[in-house]
Amino acid sequence: MKVEPQQFRSFLLDAGLVTDKQFNKARKRAEKTGGKIGDVLVFEGLITQEQLIKMEAYILGIPFVNLEKETVSSEVLKIIPEPIARSNNIVAFRKKGRNLEVAMLDPEDLRTIEFIKKTGALKILPRLTTPKGMKNVLNQYQKTLEAEFGEIIKKEVKGIKPITEEEVVEGKTELKKVAEELPVIRIVDTLLKHAILQKASDIHIEPGGKEISVRYRIDGILREAMLLPKLVQSGIVARIKVLSKLKLDEHRLPQDGRFKVETEDYKYSIRVSILPIFDGEKIVMRLLPETTRAFTLEALGLQGDALERTHDALRKPVGMLLVTGPTGSGKTTTLYSMMEILNSSRINISTIEDPVEYRMPGINQTQVNPKIGLTFASGLRSLVRQDPDILMVGEIRDKETASLAINAALTGHLVLSTLHTNTAAGAIPRLIEMGVEPFLISSTLNLILAQRLIRKLCPEKTQYSLKKAELKTLEKNCDLDAVLKILKKERLVKPKTGWGNIKFFRSKSSKECSDGYSGRIGIFEIMPITETIKELIVKRVRVDQIEDQAKKEGMRTMVEDGFLKAVQGVTSIEEVLRVIIE
């Protein structure tokens, strides 16, 4: 938005909001940081965000509208599709005849205004609003969407012809017919669209005695989405089987498949697992976005020494780097972030994965397919003959894959892979259990990274200090003295600060975040394989001895990394303990 500094100055001085000295000081700071004078004035508390926007609106001759408590009708809101509204910060909030009032953060975005004009043949009247007002209206899309989906489900259920158990058992002809009925198609499409827009990672469709429960996993937590009548069960199962190319007449054995969903706004690969249970067939669908994503280790939550140690390990041309953690802890995303750093036209990177979660240009990605004999082991054996510099093995599951990966690391390759262990040090006994000799482990391993995903606090949160009773509870789960030393070393607290004076944050429910959390970030422990640790591995010492040595050499545990993020206001202590204790 182009507002001249002199115009700002005149307006602010005339309104008595700032003094000439304050304005000049803000201007110098803005020039030094490359920011805007108005933003500096807001940051320093000299004016409010609303005063700044009102001033800009007045100077530009555009009406200001406060939408922070405004409720917009769903008919008006839908005039601008949600993806366009969110990506361009523009919302429709009032319509009279052919006149459509739209609120914006940047009224000079003429391209978006022209686009809306063409799609609706309407006269667009731009208005300026605050970021809070914009957020309030954008959040209303979700409520409108939920109401719409509720109506679709109710309407379509009425059009479904009940199918008896006898008809289900008889064969696939009747089931295929039901799967192709319009009401069933709309219900399944609605469930998928709803989940994608809520950024769910999984959909659980669970048949009960009288109803079907649909739950979405959002930010790692399963949440009730809706209840469906029992009569739609056979149709939904049949529809998903048809999409996934699974056997319609098989109801006694588990089945796995996949299909794709693609619109102008998103492209997803859906991984399907069907399991027979007492009341029917339970379906779990994993939603994997196929759009190209940029990955950085910093964005995942790695910082300080942990980040530097990881980069050091990635600079080594040979050896093995392992990422460990339970299912759903973000291991694959971390591997993709590493490959993003290493990716170059001068290097051949090949992967064997199950599944290929994200497409990465410049990297040769292979999908495991056990039905035709393409396993991690057989795929890795072939990849070694493809003249690779770097190999990524999605997961080391058995002795054969482990041996092949170790041999690849010994023969001049950098190997990236994952293991299912709870801690970084726990990867070593796991490899030994698989039959890998300790001397081979010590010769090839460069670094082990263990991780979990924790939910991030929303901007609105409650600040508090720990009480004695809370500290006693925490002492059972972590070494508080070690944590306090790290907080002081990172200068997050002053040298003489005690636990009672450290500020932490709790979740606070708001319009934007119903439970006070939104999005996730990683907590990590990074264990470089030093000469001392190599000696301990060869001696087959206990895992706790290896862990103790790693701590002496500067390794931070996941709990300690979680405390760092809790003090920084990224998450809460409750969330860190929930994830670690689980």
Side-chain angles (χ1 to χ4, degrees):
M1 196 180 304
K2 296 173 184 176
V3 179
E4 295 299 323
Q6 194 56 39
Q7 290 176 297
F8 265 121
R9 181 179 174 280
S10 300
F11 188 95
L12 290 165
L13 294 177
D14 291 345
L17 294 172
V18 299
T19 64
D20 196 42
K21 185 178 179 181
Q22 287 171 327
F23 181 84
N24 288 330
K25 186 179 176 183
R27 179 166 56 185
K28 286 178 183 176
R29 186 169 177 183
E31 288 171 355
K32 187 177 179 181
T33 60
K36 296 178 181 178
I37 299 170
D39 293 336
V40 173
L41 292 168
V42 171
F43 179 78
E44 292 182 349
L46 296 170
I47 60 173
T48 65
Q49 184 80 46
E50 185 171 330
Q51 285 173 328
L52 173 64
I53 303 291
K54 279 182 176 178
M55 177 185 66
E56 290 174 339
Y58 178 82
I59 293 171
L60 293 167
I62 299 169
F64 170 82
V65 59
N66 189 334
L67 298 176
E68 290 181 22
K69 295 181 181 178
E70 188 84 12
T71 301
V72 180
S73 75
S74 60
E75 291 303 314
V76 173
L77 196 66
K78 285 190 293 183
I79 292 171
I80 301 177
E82 184 180 4
I84 293 171
R86 289 192 181 277
S87 60
N88 296 284
N89 281 312
I90 179 170
V91 291
F93 68 94
R94 193 176 295 132
K95 183 176 179 287
K96 288 183 181 177
R98 288 184 61 253
N99 292 337
L100 181 68
E101 292 185 67
V102 298
M104 310 177 73
L105 297 183
D106 181 8
E108 293 182 345
D109 186 0
L110 301 177
R111 192 181 66 167
T112 304
I113 292 174
E114 285 302 315
F115 173 79
I116 296 164
K117 276 183 185 177
K118 288 176 185 175
T119 55
L122 297 166
K123 184 180 179 182
I124 308 300
L125 305 175
R127 307 286 185 254
L128 263 177
T129 192
T130 61
K132 274 191 176 181
M134 180 62 66
K135 203 169 187 179
N136 172 49
V137 180
L138 288 173
N139 285 333
Q140 292 176 39
Y141 274 98
Q142 188 59 47
K143 293 176 185 175
T144 302
L145 192 65
E146 287 174 5
E148 258 183 46
F149 285 164
E151 289 302 312
I152 290 171
I153 296 294
K154 285 178 188 174
K155 181 182 173 184
E156 302 303 341
V157 163
K158 292 175 184 176
I160 293 177
K161 174 194 166 187
I163 181 167
T164 64
E165 284 188 28
E166 290 77 16
E167 288 173 315
V168 170
V169 173
E170 277 174 15
K172 59 185 180 183
T173 308
E174 188 66 32
L175 284 170
K176 192 170 183 180
K177 186 180 173 184
V178 171
E180 291 170 354
E181 287 180 355
L182 206 55
V184 170
I185 291 171
R186 283 178 178 158
I187 287 174
V188 172
D189 288 351
T190 298
L191 293 176
L192 287 167
K193 185 179 177 184
H194 195 183
I196 288 168
L197 291 176
Q198 287 200 59
K199 297 179 180 174
S201 61
D202 301 84
I203 304 173
H204 289 239
I205 301 173
E206 301 164 326
K210 296 179 180 178
E211 293 175 311
I212 302 168
S213 168
V214 180
R215 297 191 290 170
Y216 296 155
R217 188 176 293 281
I218 302 169
D219 292 337
I221 306 293
L222 270 176
R223 307 179 190 195
E224 288 285 351
M226 59 191 78
L227 290 172
L228 298 173
K230 188 76 172 174
L231 67 92
V232 304
Q233 179 176 317
S234 300
I236 289 174
V237 173
R239 177 63 187 163
I240 292 168
K241 283 182 178 180
V242 166
L243 289 170
S244 311
K245 296 181 172 59
L246 300 176
K247 294 178 182 178
L248 274 171
D249 54 349
E250 179 56 76
H251 310 286
R252 297 169 301 170
L253 295 173
Q255 294 191 72
D256 296 317
R258 62 192 303 152
F259 63 94
K260 292 189 178 186
V261 173
E262 188 173 352
T263 71
E264 289 181 2
D265 304 319
Y266 51 75
K267 185 178 179 182
Y268 274 76
S269 177
I270 314 293
R271 209 166 82 201
V272 178
S273 172
I274 299 179
L275 179 72
I277 61 172
F278 185 79
D279 289 305
E281 291 175 274
K282 179 187 172 183
I283 300 171
V284 175
M285 292 185 278
R286 169 66 56 89
L287 279 57
L288 302 167
E290 288 198 346
T291 48
T292 304
R293 294 173 54 178
F295 300 94
T296 67
L297 294 174
E298 292 87 341
L300 297 182
L302 275 165
Q303 55 188 349
D305 289 344
L307 180 63
E308 189 53 44
R309 288 180 173 194
T310 305
H311 277 293
D312 287 344
L314 291 171
R315 290 186 194 107
K316 294 179 180 179
V318 297
M320 182 183 285
L321 194 153
L322 289 176
V323 180
T324 75
T327 302
S329 59
K331 299 187 297 296
T332 304
T333 304
T334 300
L335 288 184
Y336 277 106
S337 303
M338 292 174 178
M339 288 194 293
E340 188 77 38
I341 294 167
L342 296 166
N343 197 3
S344 162
S345 60
R346 297 163 65 183
I347 291 173
N348 176 10
I349 303 178
S350 297
T351 77
I352 179 79
E353 307 172 58
D354 185 23
V356 174
E357 294 193 10
Y358 308 113
R359 291 297 312 280
M360 296 189 75
I363 292 177
N364 308 295
Q365 295 173 269
T366 303
Q367 166 74 52
V368 165
N369 189 347
K371 290 179 182 177
I372 59 170
L374 181 54
T375 61
F376 278 114
S378 63
L380 180 54
R381 196 178 289 109
S382 297
L383 287 183
V384 172
R385 295 193 288 268
Q386 288 281 310
D387 186 32
D389 297 293
I390 298 168
L391 289 164
M392 191 277 262
V393 184
E395 184 185 341
I396 294 176
R397 295 176 178 173
D398 51 48
K399 179 180 179 179
E400 188 180 6
T401 309
S403 298
L404 287 166
I406 291 284
N407 285 331
L410 280 170
T411 54
H413 305 92
L414 180 63
V415 179
L416 312 177
S417 192
T418 71
L419 271 180
H420 284 280
T421 63
N422 291 326
T423 63
I428 292 162
R430 179 80 182 101
L431 287 171
I432 293 172
E433 284 169 14
M434 286 182 180
V436 181
E437 289 295 333
F439 76 90
L440 290 174
I441 297 171
S442 66
S443 302
T444 55
L445 268 181
N446 295 338
L447 178 136
I448 306 171
L449 181 155
Q451 68 178 73
R452 298 287 188 284
L453 289 177
I454 54 172
R455 292 180 296 166
K456 295 192 292 183
L457 287 168
C458 291
E460 287 190 43
K461 47 201 167 191
T462 306
Q463 198 175 46
Y464 73 104
S465 298
L466 290 169
K467 295 177 182 176
K468 287 183 180 179
E470 291 172 313
L471 282 168
K472 283 184 179 179
T473 304
L474 288 174
E475 280 176 349
K476 297 174 185 176
N477 298 296
C478 56
D479 185 344
L480 290 181
D481 290 336
V483 172
L484 191 56
K485 283 179 184 176
I486 290 168
L487 293 176
K488 289 175 180 178
K489 184 182 176 183
E490 292 293 327
R491 297 182 181 177
L492 291 171
V493 299
K494 292 179 180 178
K496 294 183 180 179
T497 305
W499 280 110
N501 299 319
I502 299 173
K503 299 295 180 185
F504 290 96
F505 300 86
R506 281 198 178 102
S507 60
K508 182 181 178 182
S509 181
S510 64
K511 282 184 181 179
E512 294 81 15
C513 306
S514 58
D515 60 359
Y517 294 95
S518 179
R520 291 193 289 175
I521 197 167
I523 53 174
F524 303 88
E525 60 184 39
I526 311 294
M527 191 176 87
I529 308 302
T530 61
E531 291 303 318
T532 316
I533 290 175
K534 284 180 181 180
E535 289 174 15
L536 294 177
I537 293 171
V538 173
K539 290 177 182 177
R540 294 177 182 259
V541 302
R542 297 192 316 271
V543 67
D544 58 313
Q545 291 176 269
I546 294 173
E547 200 164 89
D548 288 342
Q549 180 59 37
K551 287 177 185 176
K552 286 177 186 175
E553 294 176 3
M555 182 185 82
R556 290 176 191 161
T557 64
M558 281 180 282
V559 172
E560 291 165 353
D561 191 34
F563 265 89
L564 286 174
K565 291 180 170 73
V567 171
Q568 291 167 331
V570 175
T571 190
S572 65
I573 291 176
E574 291 84 359
E575 177 65 8
V576 173
L577 294 180
R578 179 190 72 81
V579 171
I580 297 296
I581 292 170
E582 278 183 354

